[in-house]
Amino acid sequence: MSRGILTIVSGFSGAGKGTVMKAFLKKYTDYALSISVTTRSPRNEEQEGREYFFRSKEEFEKLIEENELLEYAQYSGNYYGTPRSYVEKCLGEGKDVILEIEIQGAGKVKKMFPDAVLVFVTPPSVEELYRRLSSRGTETPEQIAVRMETAGKEAEHMDEYDYLLINDSLEECVDSLQQIILNEHRCVERNAEFTGRIRSEFKTFKIENKQ
C-alpha cells in the first residue's frame, strides 16, 4: 500500500480558503482533513472534533511538551496546533491528508514532511482581497488594515509554495486542487517502487521465439 500524500493549504485571511476547503471536502470525500487543536472557545455551532479540538491552555502546553503537535502558533492570545498522531496514522494507512494552516506552520510541517505539497490560495487581486474582508462586516476598518498589512508580509512567502490557486471561481478552484493532488500521485519520485520493478522486469524479459 502506497503512503498517502500530505497537502498543506494556506492563504491570506479573506482569500476564501475555508470556503474552498468545505466545498472541496463535500465534493471529494476520500480525503482526511486534519482538525486543529485550539485554546479558544467554540463559536456559534462549532463542535468538538468537527471544527476543532478545544483544549485548555494547560492541556495545550502539555501537548507541546510531549511533542504531540506538528506545529503550533499563537494568534490573538490563543494557541492553534496540528496533532501529530492523526496525520501520521492517516498517511500510513494510505489516505491523503489535507492541512489548512497558516504560512508559519506550513514551513514547520514541510521540514518534517519534505514530500508534502504546499498550495497557496489567493484572490485574483489585492483590491478583491480588501473587498472580501470589508464585505464580511465582522471587523473594524482598523482591524482590516492590520489584516491587509499582514497579507502583504505573507505575500513575500508565496514563492515557497509548490502551487498557486487563484480563488476567482470556487468550482474551478476546487477542481484544480483535486487535479494537483492527482498529478502528485503520478509523480515519478512518488512511484520509485513501481519504476524500480519495471526496470527489473526489463532486465529479465525475453521474447519467446514462437516460429
Side-chain angles (χ1 to χ4, degrees), residues 120-190:
F120 195 93
V121 180
T122 176
S125 67
V126 174
E127 289 78 8
E128 176 62 15
L129 177 63
Y130 179 76
R131 187 195 68 78
R132 292 181 186 181
L133 287 171
S134 301
S135 65
R136 295 195 301 195
T138 58
E139 297 167 309
T140 65
E142 291 76 18
Q143 290 172 321
I144 293 173
V146 170
R147 289 198 179 276
M148 290 297 295
E149 182 180 354
T150 299
K153 296 176 181 177
E154 291 174 337
E156 299 298 321
H157 297 276
M158 292 173 71
D159 57 359
E160 298 171 9
Y161 281 69
D162 301 306
Y163 296 93
L164 188 67
L165 276 185
I166 300 176
N167 186 18
D168 194 8
S169 164
L170 178 60
E171 183 175 356
E172 290 181 8
C173 196
V174 165
D175 289 341
S176 293
L177 180 56
Q178 164 74 347
Q179 194 59 53
I180 286 171
I181 299 173
L182 290 179
N183 288 342
E184 285 292 326
H185 273 287
R186 303 182 185 111
C187 179
V188 171
E189 292 182 0
R190 296 185 187 272

Side-chain angles (χ1 to χ4, degrees), residues 1-154:
M1 179 177 60
S2 60
R3 185 174 172 83
I5 292 177
L6 176 61
T7 301
I8 300 172
V9 178
S10 306
F12 306 124
S13 174
K17 58 184 181 296
T19 301
V20 170
M21 291 310 307
K22 287 180 181 179
F24 178 82
L25 294 169
K26 183 177 181 180
K27 185 171 184 177
Y28 301 106
T29 58
D30 294 333
Y31 293 90
L33 176 67
S34 178
I35 302 171
S36 297
V37 183
T38 183
T39 57
R40 77 161 172 77
S41 301
R43 296 173 182 166
N44 301 325
E45 298 180 356
E46 290 181 338
Q47 295 181 14
E48 167 72 14
R50 189 179 68 182
E51 283 79 15
Y52 288 98
F53 294 114
F54 297 97
R55 299 292 182 268
S56 67
K57 181 179 179 182
E58 292 73 20
E59 290 173 327
F60 195 102
E61 291 176 344
K62 184 177 181 181
L63 292 174
I64 296 174
E65 292 174 3
E66 296 177 350
N67 198 30
E68 289 294 325
L69 299 174
L70 290 178
E71 57 82 28
Y72 67 91
Q74 272 190 306
Y75 299 99
S76 302
N78 289 301
Y79 279 119
Y80 295 83
T82 302
R84 174 189 296 273
S85 59
Y86 178 80
V87 172
E88 292 183 338
K89 177 177 178 292
C90 289
L91 292 175
E93 293 173 348
K95 296 179 182 178
D96 293 333
V97 180
I98 307 285
L99 291 184
E100 182 195 337
I101 56 178
E102 302 302 325
I103 292 173
Q104 179 184 359
K108 294 178 181 178
V109 176
K110 181 70 173 180
K111 290 180 180 178
M112 299 180 194
F113 297 88
D115 61 347
V117 181
L118 270 61
V119 180
F120 195 93
V121 180
T122 176
S125 67
V126 174
E127 289 78 8
E128 176 62 15
L129 177 63
Y130 179 76
R131 187 195 68 78
R132 292 181 186 181
L133 287 171
S134 301
S135 65
R136 295 195 301 195
T138 58
E139 297 167 309
T140 65
E142 291 76 18
Q143 290 172 321
I144 293 173
V146 170
R147 289 198 179 276
M148 290 297 295
E149 182 180 354
T150 299
K153 296 176 181 177
E154 291 174 337

Side-chain angles (χ1 to χ4, degrees), residues 192-203:
E193 182 178 343
F194 177 83
T195 56
R197 177 173 63 80
I198 291 296
R199 287 194 296 266
S200 178
E201 288 178 0
F202 269 113
K203 292 178 181 178

